[in-house]
Amino acid sequence: MIKMRPSKLSLVSVILFVLLFVLLFSQCVLSQLRVGFYKDTCRVVEFIVKEEVVKAIIKDRGLAAALMRMHFHDCFVRGCDASILLNSTPSSTAEKDSFANNPSLRGYEVIDNAKARLEVVCKGVVSCADIIAFAARDSIEMAGGLGYDVPAGRRDGRTSLASEIIGNLPPPTFNVDQLTQMFANKGFTQEEMVTLSGGHTLGRSHCSSFSDRLYNFSGTLKQDASLDPTYAAKLKQQCPQGSTDPNVVVPMTSTPSIADAGYYIDILANRGLFTSDHTLLTSPATANQVAENAKNPIQWKVKFATAMVKMGQLDVLTGSEGEIRANCRVINS
């Protein structure tokens, strides 16, 4: 038998391939988020963030919903990079000033306060993106949801564009197929979409987000027939036709300050506020998940916490990517 000896070229190729694999693997491991990321560089980070969140929510219980929503809106556009916090510039409108976030999104001052304190004790160490993630977790816990460990190590992005809202944040008019596809684009299953939709158990909404269901559903000039009539009548009292008062808001659920399964119970009673809420009943699979979550609130809380951890890792910047902003509202000069 003739033995074939590998050529020097092939051996070099193998060695280079192995070295490249090791390098890429080590970079991947080093760049991953991890619980306890600040253990050696800023041990007090989560205590400081939580103090600011608790202080704010005691004064205004609605901020629990606001801070949770801020995390969602940050992560679904450009990933969890705190782009939601950047101010607009003369040449560019930022995410926070888009139709989806202004005037409805709030709580920026809570992040500012936490960042200011952290810059005193751990200057240039903690990212604004991680502060948002910690604050969202603390807000959910303050509202009665389950706490969870937050993997950290995100870095802050340097770009924020209002134009990128479209196609990345689901509007309140989406149907179940559109919701499923948008969440799938972000790596979520349909069940995880239903689970995260439960975030609507907290907070309030401006009338403009659902008034079409009251007065001109699908261009019919009529009320959405799927709405519970008593609930619809109450909404009409709160949101008169043609009203454009930005100060008028209505509760998303009957318990807008508590992270419970009331959202799913309301949907089953045809009291889902948005089209994107009620649509979860139009698919057998999602309707079953709604019923299951309504029946097992503890199970939903566990699933919600798990889904929030997953969401918090969307397209993150790590390692040497991005920056650690000194001021969460502007990029470093």
Side-chain angles (χ1 to χ4, degrees), residues 5-20:
R5 295 181 62 190
S7 68
K8 289 184 179 180
L9 181 60
S10 63
L11 284 174
V12 170
S13 298
V14 170
I15 292 171
L16 286 175
F17 176 81
V18 171
L19 288 174
L20 179 61

PDB file of all heavy atoms in Angstrom, residues 5-20:
ATOM      1  N   ARG A   5       1.462  11.200   1.947  1.00  0.00           N
ATOM      2  CA  ARG A   5       1.864  12.176   2.967  1.00  0.00           C
ATOM      3  C   ARG A   5       1.206  13.516   2.673  1.00  0.00           C
ATOM      4  O   ARG A   5       1.239  13.991   1.531  1.00  0.00           O
ATOM      5  CB  ARG A   5       3.379  12.350   2.955  1.00  0.00           C
ATOM      6  CG  ARG A   5       4.124  11.089   3.369  1.00  0.00           C
ATOM      7  CD  ARG A   5       5.604  11.337   3.357  1.00  0.00           C
ATOM      8  NE  ARG A   5       5.960  12.370   4.325  1.00  0.00           N
ATOM      9  CZ  ARG A   5       7.172  12.917   4.369  1.00  0.00           C
ATOM     10  NH1 ARG A   5       8.109  12.550   3.506  1.00  0.00           N
ATOM     11  NH2 ARG A   5       7.423  13.834   5.276  1.00  0.00           N
ATOM     12  N   PRO A   6       0.591  14.117   3.652  1.00  0.00           N
ATOM     13  CA  PRO A   6      -0.034  15.425   3.417  1.00  0.00           C
ATOM     14  C   PRO A   6       1.014  16.451   3.058  1.00  0.00           C
ATOM     15  O   PRO A   6       2.115  16.455   3.589  1.00  0.00           O
ATOM     16  CB  PRO A   6      -0.697  15.756   4.761  1.00  0.00           C
ATOM     17  CG  PRO A   6       0.056  14.951   5.769  1.00  0.00           C
ATOM     18  CD  PRO A   6       0.495  13.706   5.064  1.00  0.00           C
ATOM     19  N   SER A   7       0.661  17.314   2.159  1.00  0.00           N
ATOM     20  CA  SER A   7       1.585  18.357   1.735  1.00  0.00           C
ATOM     21  C   SER A   7       1.743  19.398   2.829  1.00  0.00           C
ATOM     22  O   SER A   7       0.893  19.518   3.719  1.00  0.00           O
ATOM     23  CB  SER A   7       1.061  19.027   0.466  1.00  0.00           C
ATOM     24  OG  SER A   7      -0.110  19.755   0.763  1.00  0.00           O
ATOM     25  N   LYS A   8       2.870  20.135   2.754  1.00  0.00           N
ATOM     26  CA  LYS A   8       3.084  21.203   3.722  1.00  0.00           C
ATOM     27  C   LYS A   8       1.975  22.241   3.646  1.00  0.00           C
ATOM     28  O   LYS A   8       1.556  22.798   4.649  1.00  0.00           O
ATOM     29  CB  LYS A   8       4.448  21.855   3.467  1.00  0.00           C
ATOM     30  CG  LYS A   8       5.632  20.987   3.847  1.00  0.00           C
ATOM     31  CD  LYS A   8       6.928  21.736   3.655  1.00  0.00           C
ATOM     32  CE  LYS A   8       8.120  20.875   4.067  1.00  0.00           C
ATOM     33  NZ  LYS A   8       9.397  21.612   3.876  1.00  0.00           N
ATOM     34  N   LEU A   9       1.495  22.464   2.399  1.00  0.00           N
ATOM     35  CA  LEU A   9       0.453  23.472   2.211  1.00  0.00           C
ATOM     36  C   LEU A   9      -0.820  23.076   2.944  1.00  0.00           C
ATOM     37  O   LEU A   9      -1.444  23.893   3.613  1.00  0.00           O
ATOM     38  CB  LEU A   9       0.182  23.659   0.719  1.00  0.00           C
ATOM     39  CG  LEU A   9      -0.879  24.720   0.362  1.00  0.00           C
ATOM     40  CD1 LEU A   9      -0.433  26.089   0.888  1.00  0.00           C
ATOM     41  CD2 LEU A   9      -1.106  24.758  -1.136  1.00  0.00           C
ATOM     42  N   SER A  10      -1.177  21.777   2.839  1.00  0.00           N
ATOM     43  CA  SER A  10      -2.414  21.346   3.494  1.00  0.00           C
ATOM     44  C   SER A  10      -2.265  21.401   5.016  1.00  0.00           C
ATOM     45  O   SER A  10      -3.203  21.739   5.729  1.00  0.00           O
ATOM     46  CB  SER A  10      -2.785  19.934   3.052  1.00  0.00           C
ATOM     47  OG  SER A  10      -1.805  19.009   3.440  1.00  0.00           O
ATOM     48  N   LEU A  11      -1.072  21.066   5.528  1.00  0.00           N
ATOM     49  CA  LEU A  11      -0.852  21.145   6.973  1.00  0.00           C
ATOM     50  C   LEU A  11      -0.949  22.583   7.471  1.00  0.00           C
ATOM     51  O   LEU A  11      -1.547  22.863   8.513  1.00  0.00           O
ATOM     52  CB  LEU A  11       0.529  20.568   7.321  1.00  0.00           C
ATOM     53  CG  LEU A  11       0.658  19.037   7.310  1.00  0.00           C
ATOM     54  CD1 LEU A  11       2.101  18.629   7.522  1.00  0.00           C
ATOM     55  CD2 LEU A  11      -0.227  18.425   8.384  1.00  0.00           C
ATOM     56  N   VAL A  12      -0.385  23.491   6.716  1.00  0.00           N
ATOM     57  CA  VAL A  12      -0.460  24.918   7.072  1.00  0.00           C
ATOM     58  C   VAL A  12      -1.910  25.383   7.063  1.00  0.00           C
ATOM     59  O   VAL A  12      -2.351  26.120   7.947  1.00  0.00           O
ATOM     60  CB  VAL A  12       0.398  25.764   6.103  1.00  0.00           C
ATOM     61  CG1 VAL A  12       0.112  27.250   6.327  1.00  0.00           C
ATOM     62  CG2 VAL A  12       1.870  25.477   6.297  1.00  0.00           C
ATOM     63  N   SER A  13      -2.666  24.917   6.070  1.00  0.00           N
ATOM     64  CA  SER A  13      -4.077  25.314   5.973  1.00  0.00           C
ATOM     65  C   SER A  13      -4.858  24.835   7.186  1.00  0.00           C
ATOM     66  O   SER A  13      -5.683  25.563   7.751  1.00  0.00           O
ATOM     67  CB  SER A  13      -4.694  24.730   4.694  1.00  0.00           C
ATOM     68  OG  SER A  13      -4.048  25.240   3.560  1.00  0.00           O
ATOM     69  N   VAL A  14      -4.579  23.583   7.591  1.00  0.00           N
ATOM     70  CA  VAL A  14      -5.274  23.035   8.764  1.00  0.00           C
ATOM     71  C   VAL A  14      -4.925  23.831  10.010  1.00  0.00           C
ATOM     72  O   VAL A  14      -5.792  24.173  10.820  1.00  0.00           O
ATOM     73  CB  VAL A  14      -4.909  21.550   8.953  1.00  0.00           C
ATOM     74  CG1 VAL A  14      -5.426  21.039  10.298  1.00  0.00           C
ATOM     75  CG2 VAL A  14      -5.483  20.711   7.824  1.00  0.00           C
ATOM     76  N   ILE A  15      -3.628  24.114  10.174  1.00  0.00           N
ATOM     77  CA  ILE A  15      -3.178  24.866  11.358  1.00  0.00           C
ATOM     78  C   ILE A  15      -3.819  26.257  11.388  1.00  0.00           C
ATOM     79  O   ILE A  15      -4.303  26.712  12.427  1.00  0.00           O
ATOM     80  CB  ILE A  15      -1.640  24.979  11.373  1.00  0.00           C
ATOM     81  CG1 ILE A  15      -1.025  23.597  11.614  1.00  0.00           C
ATOM     82  CG2 ILE A  15      -1.182  25.956  12.456  1.00  0.00           C
ATOM     83  CD1 ILE A  15       0.479  23.551  11.430  1.00  0.00           C
ATOM     84  N   LEU A  16      -3.837  26.909  10.225  1.00  0.00           N
ATOM     85  CA  LEU A  16      -4.455  28.242  10.152  1.00  0.00           C
ATOM     86  C   LEU A  16      -5.933  28.178  10.471  1.00  0.00           C
ATOM     87  O   LEU A  16      -6.485  29.054  11.158  1.00  0.00           O
ATOM     88  CB  LEU A  16      -4.243  28.847   8.757  1.00  0.00           C
ATOM     89  CG  LEU A  16      -2.827  29.341   8.455  1.00  0.00           C
ATOM     90  CD1 LEU A  16      -2.725  29.798   7.004  1.00  0.00           C
ATOM     91  CD2 LEU A  16      -2.465  30.504   9.376  1.00  0.00           C
ATOM     92  N   PHE A  17      -6.602  27.144   9.976  1.00  0.00           N
ATOM     93  CA  PHE A  17      -8.038  26.986  10.235  1.00  0.00           C
ATOM     94  C   PHE A  17      -8.294  26.807  11.733  1.00  0.00           C
ATOM     95  O   PHE A  17      -9.209  27.416  12.309  1.00  0.00           O
ATOM     96  CB  PHE A  17      -8.585  25.785   9.464  1.00  0.00           C
ATOM     97  CG  PHE A  17     -10.032  25.491   9.744  1.00  0.00           C
ATOM     98  CD1 PHE A  17     -11.036  26.199   9.118  1.00  0.00           C
ATOM     99  CD2 PHE A  17     -10.395  24.511  10.690  1.00  0.00           C
ATOM    100  CE1 PHE A  17     -12.370  25.944   9.390  1.00  0.00           C
ATOM    101  CE2 PHE A  17     -11.722  24.257  10.965  1.00  0.00           C
ATOM    102  CZ  PHE A  17     -12.716  24.964  10.327  1.00  0.00           C
ATOM    103  N   VAL A  18      -7.455  25.954  12.363  1.00  0.00           N
ATOM    104  CA  VAL A  18      -7.617  25.721  13.802  1.00  0.00           C
ATOM    105  C   VAL A  18      -7.375  26.998  14.599  1.00  0.00           C
ATOM    106  O   VAL A  18      -8.128  27.334  15.517  1.00  0.00           O
ATOM    107  CB  VAL A  18      -6.655  24.605  14.275  1.00  0.00           C
ATOM    108  CG1 VAL A  18      -6.658  24.498  15.803  1.00  0.00           C
ATOM    109  CG2 VAL A  18      -7.052  23.274  13.655  1.00  0.00           C
ATOM    110  N   LEU A  19      -6.333  27.734  14.238  1.00  0.00           N
ATOM    111  CA  LEU A  19      -6.026  28.989  14.935  1.00  0.00           C
ATOM    112  C   LEU A  19      -7.152  29.995  14.776  1.00  0.00           C
ATOM    113  O   LEU A  19      -7.534  30.698  15.724  1.00  0.00           O
ATOM    114  CB  LEU A  19      -4.712  29.580  14.413  1.00  0.00           C
ATOM    115  CG  LEU A  19      -3.433  28.850  14.828  1.00  0.00           C
ATOM    116  CD1 LEU A  19      -2.224  29.459  14.121  1.00  0.00           C
ATOM    117  CD2 LEU A  19      -3.243  28.921  16.339  1.00  0.00           C
ATOM    118  N   LEU A  20      -7.710  30.052  13.550  1.00  0.00           N
ATOM    119  CA  LEU A  20      -8.808  30.981  13.298  1.00  0.00           C
ATOM    120  C   LEU A  20     -10.025  30.598  14.117  1.00  0.00           C
ATOM    121  O   LEU A  20     -10.697  31.451  14.707  1.00  0.00           O
ATOM    122  CB  LEU A  20      -9.152  30.979  11.803  1.00  0.00           C
ATOM    123  CG  LEU A  20     -10.308  31.905  11.367  1.00  0.00           C
ATOM    124  CD1 LEU A  20      -9.955  33.355  11.687  1.00  0.00           C
ATOM    125  CD2 LEU A  20     -10.590  31.746   9.882  1.00  0.00           C
TER     126      LEU A  20
END
